[in-house]
Amino acid sequence: MNKTLVVSYLPNSQSVTRKVLDYFLANSRGSTTIIERDLMKNNPPVFNGDSMTAYQMRGFMGQELSGDYARAIKPFDALIDEISNVDNVVFAFPTHNWSEPGVVKSYIDAILQAGKLINYDAQGKPTGALQNHKALVMFASGGFYEEGNPRRTIQPAFTFYLNHMGITDIEFAPVGGTLMGEEVTSKSLAAAEGIVDGVISRWFAKK
Ligand SMILES: Cc1cc2nc3c(=O)[nH]c(=O)nc-3n(C[C@H](O)[C@H](O)[C@H](O)COP(=O)(O)O)c2cc1C
């Protein structure tokens, strides 16, 4: 069976994004093996002196790592191995201060390493390693950020992050207006669930 990694950070017990994620999980049951990466339970590693030196030695200078440097980069590599070994990845998080929460960006920074998920050729042209992966990015926001609004940062940022990993098949399921009352939220939620339906039938189409 194909595998789907769910990378989530959902700290709100009333999370609206959680509803979209639960909808995805309920409707994809039996079609994919779910691997959970809950960033609230396990914060991603953040670079310190040793791990940053290790990254630069390996990623930019092509050096073999050993000792403290090899040890320091291990938790980062474990996350890279995890995402490399699935077919699909789902991100689920709230909008905080006009972007993904910092812990989600820390996860991206941990995995988006030169020499691992991005490889540069002699001309400096990057190629992402996850060429056959598909991604779904779900997130709720209190307001609505339409196309062209400078506060609409999540779609362009995730397109950029994921494209650089090699993932070009990306769907977004935003739930806008969660602070604008129940009626607005329900309508947005239904639209997001519609997007999830489309993703599930495309990702898990029986051949
Ligand atoms: C710390 C914090 C920052 C927020 N920043 C924004 C924001 O920049 N834009 C926005 O539209 N809503 C913002 N909100 C509202 C949340 O995005 C909204 O409540 C959303 O439903 C959160 O997702 P969740 O329901 O899955 O937790 C913020 C909420 C919190 C707690």
Side-chain angles (χ1 to χ4, degrees):
M1 197 183 291
N2 74 77
K3 294 183 196 153
T4 302
L5 175 67
V6 175
V7 180
S8 67
Y9 172 69
L10 298 168
N12 180 358
S13 62
Q14 305 296 313
S15 168
V16 180
T17 316
R18 163 71 64 195
K19 292 184 182 162
V20 187
L21 179 58
D22 285 346
Y23 184 85
F24 172 86
L25 293 172
N27 288 285
S28 60
R29 195 164 293 137
S31 302
T32 186
T33 301
I34 299 292
I35 293 142
E36 285 183 33
R37 171 58 48 191
D38 184 336
L39 300 179
M40 203 166 54
K41 285 191 194 147
N42 291 296
N43 285 175
V46 172
F47 285 102
N48 63 13
D50 274 357
S51 50
M52 181 46 65
T53 302
Y55 175 14
Q56 291 180 316
M57 284 167 67
R58 183 177 69 181
F60 299 149
M61 293 176 254
Q63 294 177 18
E64 286 279 325
L65 299 177
S66 60
D68 285 348
Y69 293 131
R71 257 190 301 283
I73 206 79
K74 255 191 174 168
F76 298 80
D77 287 356
L79 295 178
I80 293 172
D81 290 345
E82 182 176 66
I83 194 170
S84 299
N85 288 320
V86 300
D87 304 279
N88 316 300
V89 56
V90 174
F91 288 90
F93 53 80
T95 304
H96 280 173
N97 301 318
W98 311 282
S99 78
E100 70 277 15
V103 68
V104 178
K105 181 58 162 62
S106 292
Y107 173 83
I108 298 290
D109 289 345
I111 64 169
L112 197 42
Q113 287 193 40
K116 297 293 273 183
L117 291 191
I118 315 180
N119 288 292
Y120 293 93
D121 68 13
Q123 281 71 46
K125 185 175 171 289
T127 305
L130 308 180
Q131 297 282 327
N132 296 317
H133 281 49
K134 297 181 173 67
L136 169 63
V137 183
M138 49 180 73
F139 58 96
S141 56
F144 278 104
Y145 301 128
E146 307 297 350
E147 198 100 39
N149 186 328
R151 293 174 186 81
R152 183 186 168 98
T153 64
I154 290 172
Q155 287 92 330
F158 270 75
T159 301
F160 205 68
Y161 306 149
L162 294 169
N163 280 178
H164 275 73
M165 292 175 201
I167 308 178
T168 52
D169 187 331
I170 307 165
E171 296 263 9
F172 291 95
V175 189
T178 63
L179 297 179
M180 296 177 170
E182 247 172 62
E183 204 178 313
V184 175
T185 304
S186 305
K187 219 169 137 198
S188 283
L189 199 50
E193 289 176 353
I195 292 166
V196 170
D197 286 339
V199 167
I200 288 176
S201 58
R202 213 160 54 73
W203 284 9
F204 309 129
K206 302 273 182 286
K207 298 218 170 75

